[in-house]
Amino acid sequence: MKYMFDTANLNEIEKYMKIYPICGVTTNPSILKAEGKVGFYSHLKAMRKLIGNRSLHVQTISADAAAMVKEAEAIVNGVDRDVFIKIPTTEEGLMAMGQLKAMGIGVTATAVYSQVQGFMAIAAGADYVAPYCNRMENLDADPYEAIAAMRYMIEEEESSAQILAASFKNIGQVNRAFLSGAHTATVQPALLHSTFQMAAIHKAVDDFKADWVAVRGDVSLADLTE
Ligand code: E4P
């Protein structure tokens, strides 16, 4: 069970990386749009500088395989060769995935809304497969059933692909994705932060402190001598 951040915001990444144990950061063109018209490569390099050797996932734009491969080469040349290239799981995307793997470039199969897309991406050798949980639920499709099926196939085939569950609007979806077999989930830091604001958690902490103070006064535990 591993977490990634689904954001390109440098301040958020820097702040929340100190709190949450993440193994990577995912972007897409919409996530990058939220940062304004920043330099594409300079921004991605700044992200890399912050996250070090955690994985960085960057998406291509074009619809045809040859152009996707060209864009992927531009990304790895412009940022570094460790970037995982997010390729939409279309027919053209599947072709591009095979070519990129043959070139030794890491692939994250994205825009996965169905089991067959996931199965094909696994067969094409993708390193990560990203089912879109909230978007699937909006379409009355069951992302958890799809994740369980993909995990079953990964184990059956002894594939090294990892399920990178994505597109979350609440933390319950994230938990269910893990319980269904996702290896990793990419989550907006703000969503994680909001779940830790639960009043009951902070009331418990305050109540314990009040009981301490009732006995010893406002004395730090670290300053006790007996
Ligand atoms: C991963 O980076 C996906 O593109 C992302 O989680 C999609 O999220 P959305 O459905 O909120 O756009």
Side-chain angles (χ1 to χ4, degrees), residues 208-219:
F208 290 134
K209 171 81 189 282
D211 286 343
W212 172 273
V213 170
V215 176
R216 302 174 193 278
D218 201 3
V219 177

Side-chain angles (χ1 to χ4, degrees), residues 13 20 41 58 78 92 125 130 134 182 203 219 225:
I13 294 169
Y20 299 112
Y41 293 114
V58 182
E92 292 287 327
N134 187 67
K203 181 170 185 319
V219 177
T225 52

Side-chain angles (χ1 to χ4, degrees), residues 113-191:
Y113 288 82
S114 64
Q115 291 186 22
V116 66
Q117 281 179 290
F119 293 167
M120 285 296 179
I122 294 163
D127 300 281
Y128 292 93
V129 181
Y132 274 9
C133 295
N134 187 67
R135 295 191 194 204
M136 287 177 74
E137 287 192 343
N138 288 345
L139 295 171
D140 203 19
D142 186 340
Y144 313 109
E145 194 185 345
I147 288 170
M150 286 178 219
R151 182 63 183 258
Y152 172 81
M153 286 303 175
I154 287 169
E155 305 297 334
E156 273 297 294
E157 301 288 317
E158 298 183 11
S159 162
S160 58
Q162 292 200 36
I163 300 167
L164 169 52
S167 177
F168 294 112
K169 290 293 168 277
N170 65 66
I171 206 72
Q173 294 172 326
V174 179
N175 297 342
R176 279 192 75 185
F178 279 130
L179 290 169
S180 304
H183 300 84
T184 307
T186 185
V187 187
Q188 291 172 9
L191 177 53

Side-chain angles (χ1 to χ4, degrees), residues 6 26-28 30-31 59 86 110 130 132 134-135 166-169 186 188:
D6 206 17
T26 54
T27 67
N28 64 31
S30 308
I31 287 169
Q59 194 162 322
K86 287 179 71 183
T110 195
Y132 274 9
N134 187 67
R135 295 191 194 204
S167 177
F168 294 112
K169 290 293 168 277
T186 185
Q188 291 172 9

Side-chain angles (χ1 to χ4, degrees), residues 3-220:
Y3 292 88
M4 294 192 194
F5 284 161
D6 206 17
T7 182
N9 185 275
L10 299 175
N11 293 332
E12 271 193 340
I13 294 169
E14 187 171 26
K15 176 177 173 187
Y16 288 112
M17 241 179 47
K18 292 177 187 147
I19 301 171
Y20 299 112
I22 56 148
C23 67
V25 175
T26 54
T27 67
N28 64 31
S30 308
I31 287 169
L32 284 167
K33 180 185 169 200
E35 303 313 304
K37 203 171 175 194
V38 291
F40 181 70
Y41 293 114
S42 55
H43 193 82
L44 291 169
K45 280 182 181 167
M47 289 175 67
R48 169 60 83 204
K49 200 167 172 204
L50 278 179
I51 68 172
N53 61 8
R54 295 172 178 87
S55 67
L56 175 60
H57 304 251
V58 182
Q59 194 162 322
T60 54
I61 312 296
S62 293
D64 68 283
M68 286 179 189
V69 170
K70 220 169 159 189
E71 289 177 2
E73 284 183 293
I75 294 168
V76 295
N77 289 335
V79 185
D80 60 59
R81 291 201 71 81
D82 293 327
V83 174
F84 286 87
I85 304 298
K86 287 179 71 183
I87 301 285
T89 311
T90 58
E91 289 181 323
E92 292 287 327
L94 288 169
M95 273 199 281
M97 287 176 205
Q99 290 172 36
L100 291 174
K101 288 312 300 172
M103 294 160 69
I105 293 176
V107 168
T108 299
T110 195
V112 171
Y113 288 82
S114 64
Q115 291 186 22
V116 66
Q117 281 179 290
F119 293 167
M120 285 296 179
I122 294 163
D127 300 281
Y128 292 93
V129 181
Y132 274 9
C133 295
N134 187 67
R135 295 191 194 204
M136 287 177 74
E137 287 192 343
N138 288 345
L139 295 171
D140 203 19
D142 186 340
Y144 313 109
E145 194 185 345
I147 288 170
M150 286 178 219
R151 182 63 183 258
Y152 172 81
M153 286 303 175
I154 287 169
E155 305 297 334
E156 273 297 294
E157 301 288 317
E158 298 183 11
S159 162
S160 58
Q162 292 200 36
I163 300 167
L164 169 52
S167 177
F168 294 112
K169 290 293 168 277
N170 65 66
I171 206 72
Q173 294 172 326
V174 179
N175 297 342
R176 279 192 75 185
F178 279 130
L179 290 169
S180 304
H183 300 84
T184 307
T186 185
V187 187
Q188 291 172 9
L191 177 53
L192 290 170
H193 175 66
S194 72
T195 66
F196 278 85
Q197 303 317 302
M198 193 190 294
I201 301 172
H202 297 285
K203 181 170 185 319
V205 173
D206 291 345
D207 288 349
F208 290 134
K209 171 81 189 282
D211 286 343
W212 172 273
V213 170
V215 176
R216 302 174 193 278
D218 201 3
V219 177
S220 166

